[in-house]
């Protein structure tokens, strides 16, 4: 398969973008729409408005993402109550925590489910988020809390669904965007172009949409071969990042009842060195020595989705294949073994198939049944060339898992009261082979199975009020390791095995959503408690990396969402916030001896006690035409967090703003990101290596659309 996009493809995309530089607002101003007007499909019961969806759910339209300067998942996390950034190597390997789920960091399967349209982005033994930039996105739906019955293994903490824009069967459309910006400490400029074109090939029946772009973020970190005290930098502004993306979607609707959607997408992130540095301000790195580090990725996703409306029921099928290769090279010191270069690489393949049948009638009884199958493998390999010796090894994990799921609900009292129950049975056949002088040689097989369930009672007293209570469960498959690793864990006094028990959780939640003042005010409130069992953690018994189930935990929290369309014409205000209290429980004493912060009563690792974000957007016509002035501002704050090694990350705040003019066809704006130049850190590894927000950035953006 083609692992790189051709120069001709990028030239074509850039040419389109320069002709119509874009991604603009739709003709209807987003400042006049409300979050509750966004139609979501996350409940898998057809299209619903947010207020009618009895879940802890957020939705962001593509226009709102653009307005708020949310360009990738790292930005999105600041807008999700209870979410925190997790481990970060560079622009590719990033993990996140949601409601305390993900406290163990970058180990094992993902605790958050990621879906791109109808298909999963899931890699065994690797919890990374999709490295996609928000180009040509229709909307993003975020479900908080376990979604095991509908989305299965990997959705213990929640699910994020990225919905891309559909081809238009009736109309030609072209969008594009061009950006140029200056970032503090960087000697070069940031710049990017992106474009999308939708063409109806057979009116009402067949259409294609192609989108893509190129983005360059200048480096700002100086690299030293030794500490700065020994001399000047070897390379200045060295950690530059590039992204190349392309996506093609073919939509065929041969009849009004049948829709077939085929998609191919490629993402190619690149970074010189990594985002882990020794000093944040001035930004400097010297742990790499003379090694020219990097982090690279190649991701290809192919999918076919089919939906058939049979009248009383709707049958849908989604088939996908994910091919992911990514890794990083860095210099490092290994104590008595000396210094050298370390390469960690990942090579993963995943085939997934899901079939779903759901009711489509007007009666009070609603149901959904389905099945899911995944055949995946992930090869992790490392190579350390050190002063004293060379060490290499691998861990090859393969999984064939399947599940069956279903939900039923019934409308009582004319739909005012709706009880719902759901269940999912999951069976995994997981094998692994591993070989390393550090972890030993071994292979094994595990065949865990698990039942997850959800019970929900929803109350709809009026069209403007929804309340619900729910109890749901989730889990994540157990990590595999060699007999040598397991024996070292057991020798340190902690029970372990070559295949850990799945970590599980039970979520108890109540929520209310309301529209007040003729819909001008929207409020959402959720309270929850999550009980964790068999938490999986990485340990280093006798200096060797290994894994174990370390004990239990509990998180109790409150989510708040508010949106106000103020009496001042064109001014909207919004807020999201989370406060939570979390603690480890029943932790093995030997675990605490190794990781003092993983102890009874201590806060969950990498879990913020609170986070919030405030948004304001304003739009006002200029004259009698469609020319308008707009202004957007956002402020977010994340509380302190304790990292896995006990390092305390202090609270930090981020401020973004944009202002400009627009019509229904084009938009020109000036924007600022991280206006206070907050450097963090947002993540710390081994109390020495720091990662933080990008420095203050000021730029210009031009968007336009033709249809």
């Amino acid at each position: 398969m083609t692992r790189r996009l051709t120069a001709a493809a990028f030239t074509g995309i850039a040419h389109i973008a320069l002709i119509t530089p874009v991604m603009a607002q739709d003709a209807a101003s987003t400042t006049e729409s409300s979050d509750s007007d966004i139609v979501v499909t996350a409940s898998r019961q057809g299209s619903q408005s947010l207020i009618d969806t009895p879940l802890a759910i957020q939705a962001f339209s593509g226009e709102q993402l653009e307005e708020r300067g949310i360009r990738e998942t790292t930005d999105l996390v600041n807008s999700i109550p209870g979410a925190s950034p997790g481990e970060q190597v560079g622009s590719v390997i990033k993990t996140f925590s949601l409601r305390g789920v993900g406290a163990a960091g970058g180990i094992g399967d993902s605790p958050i489910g990621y879906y791109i349209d109808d298909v999963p982005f899931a890699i065994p033994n690797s919890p990374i988020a999709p490295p996609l930039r928000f180009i040509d996105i229709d909307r993003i739906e975020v479900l908080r809390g376990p979604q095991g019955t509908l989305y299965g293994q990997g959705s213990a903490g929640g699910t994020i669904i990225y919905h891309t824009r559909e081809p238009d069967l009736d109309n030609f459309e072209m969008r594009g965007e061009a950006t140029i910006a200056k970032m503090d400490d960087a000697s070069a400029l940031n710049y990017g172009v992106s474009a999308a074109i939708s063409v109806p090939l057979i009116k009402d029946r067949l259409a294609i949409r192609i989108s893509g772009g190129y983005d360059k973020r200048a480096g700002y970190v100086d690299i030293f071969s030794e500490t700065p005290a020994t001399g000047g930098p070897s390379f200045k502004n060295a950690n530059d990042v590039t992204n190349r993306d392309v996506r093609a979607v073919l939509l065929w609707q041969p009849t009004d009842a049948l829709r077939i959607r085929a998609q191919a997408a490629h993402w190619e992130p690149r970074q010189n060195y990594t985002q882990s540095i020794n000093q944040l301000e001035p930004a400097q790195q010297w742990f790499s020595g003379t090694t020219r580090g990097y982090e690279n990725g190649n991701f290809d996703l192919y999918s076919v989705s089919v939906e058939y409306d049979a009248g009383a029921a709707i049958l849908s099928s989604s088939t996908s294949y994910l091919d992911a290769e990514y890794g990083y090279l860095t210099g490092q010191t290994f104590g008595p073994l000396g210094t050298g270069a370390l390469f960690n690489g990942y090579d993963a393949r995943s085939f997934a198939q899901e079939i779903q049948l759901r009711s489509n009638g007007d009666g009070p009884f609603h149901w959904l049944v389905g099945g899911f199958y995944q055949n995946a493998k992930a090869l992790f390999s490392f190579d350390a060339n050190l002063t004293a010796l060379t060490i290499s090894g691998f861990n090859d994990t393969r999984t064939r898992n399947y599940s069956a799921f279903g939900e039923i609900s019934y409308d009582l009292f004319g739909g005012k009261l709706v009880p719902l129950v759901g269940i999912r049975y999951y069976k995994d056949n997981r094998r692994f082979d591993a070989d390393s002088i550090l972890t030993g040689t071994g292979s094994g097989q595990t065949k865990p199975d698990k039942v997850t369930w959800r019970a929900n009672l929803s109350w709809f007293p009026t069209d403007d009020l929804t309340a619900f209570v729910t109890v749901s469960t989730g889990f994540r498959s157990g990590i595999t390791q060699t007999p040598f690793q397991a024996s070292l864990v057991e020798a340190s006094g902690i029970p372990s095995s070559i295949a850990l028990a799945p970590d599980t959780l039970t979520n108890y939640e109540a929520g209310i959503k309301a529209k007040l003042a003729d819909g001008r005010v929207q409020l959402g409130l959720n309270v929850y408690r999550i009980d964790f069992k068999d938490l999986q953690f990485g340990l280093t018994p006798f200096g060797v990396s290994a894994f174990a189930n370390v004990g239990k935990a509990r998180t109790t929290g409150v989510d708040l969402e508010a949106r106000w369309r103020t009496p001042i014409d064109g001014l909207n205000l919004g807020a999201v916030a989370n406060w939570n209290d979390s603690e480890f429980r029943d932790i093995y004493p030997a675990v605490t001896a190794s990781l003092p912060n993983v102890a009874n009563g201590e806060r969950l690792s990498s879990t913020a006690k609170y986070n919030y974000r405030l948004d304001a957007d304003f739009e006002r016509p200029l004259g009698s035409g469609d020319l308008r002035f707009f202004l957007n501002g956002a402020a977010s704050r994340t509380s302190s967090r304790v990292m896995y090694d006990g390092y305390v990350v202090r609270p930090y705040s981020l401020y973004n703003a944009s202002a400009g003019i627009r019509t229904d066809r084009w938009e020109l704006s000036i924007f600022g990101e991280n206006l206070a130049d907050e450097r963090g850190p947002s993540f710390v590894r081994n109390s020495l290596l720091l990662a933080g927000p990008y420095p203050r950035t000021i730029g210009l953006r031009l968007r336009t659309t033709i249809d």
Side-chain angles (χ1 to χ4, degrees):
M1 77 184 57
T2 302
R3 301 302 303 168
R4 296 180 182 276
L5 297 176
T6 65
F10 285 118
T11 301
I13 291 171
H15 181 63
I16 294 172
L18 292 174
I19 293 175
T20 64
V22 191
M23 281 291 221
Q25 302 296 334
D26 290 338
S29 166
T30 60
T31 58
E32 293 301 320
S33 66
S34 65
D35 292 358
S36 65
D37 295 332
I38 301 174
V39 173
V40 297
T41 56
S43 68
R44 296 193 166 182
Q45 288 288 355
S47 300
Q48 297 175 299
S49 67
L50 277 177
I51 197 168
D52 293 329
T53 306
L55 297 168
I57 181 175
Q58 288 173 276
F60 304 83
S61 70
E63 287 73 24
Q64 288 173 337
L65 296 171
E66 294 169 3
E67 291 276 3
R68 300 174 188 180
I70 300 173
R71 301 192 300 169
E72 57 184 46
T73 303
T74 302
D75 304 325
L76 182 70
V77 164
N78 291 320
S79 296
I80 302 174
S84 302
E87 185 163 356
Q88 180 179 5
V89 175
S91 62
V92 182
I93 301 176
K94 298 178 182 179
T95 68
F96 302 97
S97 171
L98 186 54
R99 289 185 170 180
V101 184
I107 64 169
D109 292 0
S110 177
I112 298 174
Y114 298 103
Y115 276 71
I116 299 174
D117 295 312
D118 300 319
V119 299
F121 182 97
I123 299 173
N125 267 353
S126 180
I128 69 167
L132 88 147
R133 297 179 302 140
F134 296 163
I135 293 175
D136 211 28
I137 291 289
D138 178 66
R139 71 186 186 279
I140 296 175
E141 300 175 25
V142 180
L143 292 83
R144 305 187 300 275
Q147 309 297 325
T149 55
L150 291 181
Y151 294 96
Q153 194 272 134
S155 296
T159 300
I160 300 177
I161 309 167
Y162 309 87
H163 291 278
T164 58
R165 284 193 170 100
E166 295 270 351
D168 192 322
L169 292 171
D170 299 316
N171 302 302
F172 171 86
E173 180 189 20
M174 183 179 291
R175 294 169 173 257
E177 179 180 291
T179 302
I180 188 167
K182 178 66 172 66
M183 183 166 58
D184 284 10
D185 293 354
S187 57
L189 294 176
N190 299 349
Y191 60 89
V193 293
S194 62
I197 182 170
S198 180
V199 180
L201 303 176
I202 302 175
K203 189 174 178 60
D204 297 330
R205 295 304 179 197
L206 183 67
I208 189 171
R209 188 179 190 95
I210 299 174
S211 61
Y214 176 84
D215 180 85
K216 173 71 177 289
R217 192 190 296 266
Y220 62 94
V221 176
D222 292 342
I223 307 298
F224 295 79
S225 58
E226 299 181 35
T227 63
T230 62
S234 303
F235 302 97
K236 293 184 66 65
N237 307 138
N239 65 327
D240 52 292
V241 178
T242 61
N243 285 278
R244 297 174 172 88
D245 320 84
V246 68
R247 182 177 69 95
V249 183
L250 186 68
L251 179 61
W252 181 33
Q253 188 169 321
T255 70
D256 291 342
L258 178 63
R259 286 169 60 92
I260 301 172
R261 186 182 192 271
Q263 178 174 225
H266 175 82
W267 306 285
E268 193 175 303
R270 297 279 187 269
Q271 176 162 354
N272 287 326
Y273 292 90
T274 67
Q275 208 59 26
S276 297
I277 59 179
N278 296 94
Q279 181 173 288
L280 292 169
E281 198 169 9
Q284 296 175 343
Q285 182 197 98
W286 56 84
F287 74 87
S288 293
T290 58
T291 300
R292 297 285 298 271
Y294 61 82
E295 187 192 40
N296 294 335
N298 282 289
F299 298 83
D300 294 294
L301 179 65
Y302 308 94
S303 65
V304 177
S305 300
V306 180
E307 183 174 276
Y308 178 69
D309 187 344
I314 294 177
L315 176 67
S316 61
S317 168
S318 60
T319 307
S320 65
Y321 180 78
L322 173 66
D323 184 349
E325 295 180 17
Y326 56 100
Y328 63 92
L329 174 72
T330 184
Q332 202 156 324
T333 299
F334 294 83
L337 298 179
T339 60
L342 171 66
F343 172 77
N344 284 335
Y346 302 80
D347 187 355
R349 310 285 187 273
S350 176
F351 170 82
Q353 172 66 55
E354 182 173 89
I355 296 177
Q356 177 193 135
L357 184 67
R358 73 173 189 267
S359 60
N360 191 39
D362 296 327
F365 180 60
H366 308 281
W367 52 268
L368 176 151
V369 294
F372 178 84
Y373 171 78
Q374 182 190 35
N375 185 345
K377 65 170 292 184
L379 175 65
F380 166 71
S381 60
F382 72 90
D383 191 345
N385 294 302
L386 311 177
T387 306
L389 75 164
T390 297
I391 304 172
S392 62
F394 69 88
N395 185 309
D396 188 9
T397 302
R398 287 150 288 161
T399 175
R400 291 188 178 184
N401 63 78
Y402 62 87
S403 58
F405 59 91
E407 284 193 346
I408 57 173
S409 64
Y410 195 86
D411 297 345
L412 299 173
F413 309 110
K416 297 292 185 182
L417 191 66
V418 182
L420 176 149
V421 293
I423 192 168
R424 187 180 191 111
Y425 172 76
Y426 171 87
K427 178 67 175 179
D428 193 2
N429 184 353
R430 185 167 292 213
R431 302 177 59 89
F432 75 94
D433 295 289
D435 185 18
S436 168
I437 191 174
L438 294 179
T439 60
T441 300
S443 61
Q445 184 175 15
T446 180
K447 297 182 178 181
D449 60 353
K450 199 71 182 175
V451 174
T452 58
W453 54 270
R454 177 167 77 107
N456 184 288
L457 182 63
S458 306
W459 182 41
F460 303 93
T462 71
D463 291 340
D464 294 332
L465 181 63
T466 299
F468 66 91
V469 292
T470 189
V471 182
S472 55
T473 63
F475 81 102
R476 184 173 60 141
S477 280
I479 297 171
T480 57
Q481 60 187 342
T482 66
F484 178 64
Q485 289 171 293
S487 67
L488 292 180
V489 175
E490 292 181 331
S492 64
I494 306 167
S496 189
S497 66
I498 63 171
L500 301 189
D503 43 16
T504 62
L505 61 86
T506 303
N507 178 65
Y508 308 89
E509 186 162 0
I512 187 169
K513 305 177 183 183
K515 289 198 293 187
L516 309 172
D518 295 325
R520 300 184 70 89
V521 177
Q522 303 162 35
L523 297 174
L525 178 70
N526 296 77
V527 294
Y528 62 89
R529 191 187 87 184
I530 302 176
D531 290 332
F532 301 84
K533 293 182 179 179
D534 296 320
L535 284 174
Q536 301 178 71
F537 253 79
L539 306 170
T540 53
F542 307 101
V544 175
S545 176
F547 308 96
N549 298 108
V550 301
K552 301 178 181 180
R554 173 173 290 176
T555 297
T556 304
V558 179
D559 292 340
L560 175 66
E561 302 171 62
R563 187 77 175 165
W564 181 28
R565 196 165 69 248
T566 72
I568 301 174
D569 188 30
L571 177 63
N572 295 326
L573 303 177
V576 297
N578 169 270
W579 173 89
N580 69 85
D581 184 34
S582 67
E583 64 176 5
F584 289 108
R585 296 181 161 200
D586 298 334
I587 301 298
Y588 290 110
V591 172
T592 302
S594 174
L595 296 171
N597 63 301
V598 183
N600 293 334
E602 292 293 324
R603 184 167 187 78
L604 287 183
S605 305
S606 194
T607 301
K609 190 176 185 65
Y610 67 83
N611 75 316
Y612 63 81
R613 175 171 170 134
L614 308 175
D615 284 280
D617 53 76
F618 175 76
E619 184 172 87
R620 181 62 58 88
L622 297 175
S624 58
D626 68 347
L627 183 64
R628 306 182 295 276
F629 167 79
F630 68 91
L631 176 67
N632 303 291
S636 64
R637 186 166 179 83
T638 301
S639 76
S640 62
R641 292 172 292 139
V642 180
M643 306 309 293
Y644 323 112
D645 57 3
Y647 186 100
V648 178
V649 174
R650 64 179 179 82
Y652 63 92
S653 301
L654 298 173
Y655 303 94
N656 298 331
S658 64
I661 54 175
R662 65 163 65 107
T663 70
D664 294 342
R665 294 291 186 181
W666 57 265
E667 172 185 303
L668 178 64
S669 63
I670 181 172
F671 64 90
E673 299 171 350
N674 190 10
L675 290 172
D677 201 24
E678 173 66 66
R679 299 300 179 97
S682 57
F683 175 74
V684 179
R685 182 186 292 107
N686 300 330
S687 298
L688 297 172
L689 305 182
L690 315 174
Y694 288 106
R696 176 171 45 225
T697 302
I698 307 294
L700 292 172
R701 180 180 291 118
L702 177 64
R703 295 172 174 147
T704 157
T705 185
I706 296 176
D707 53 20

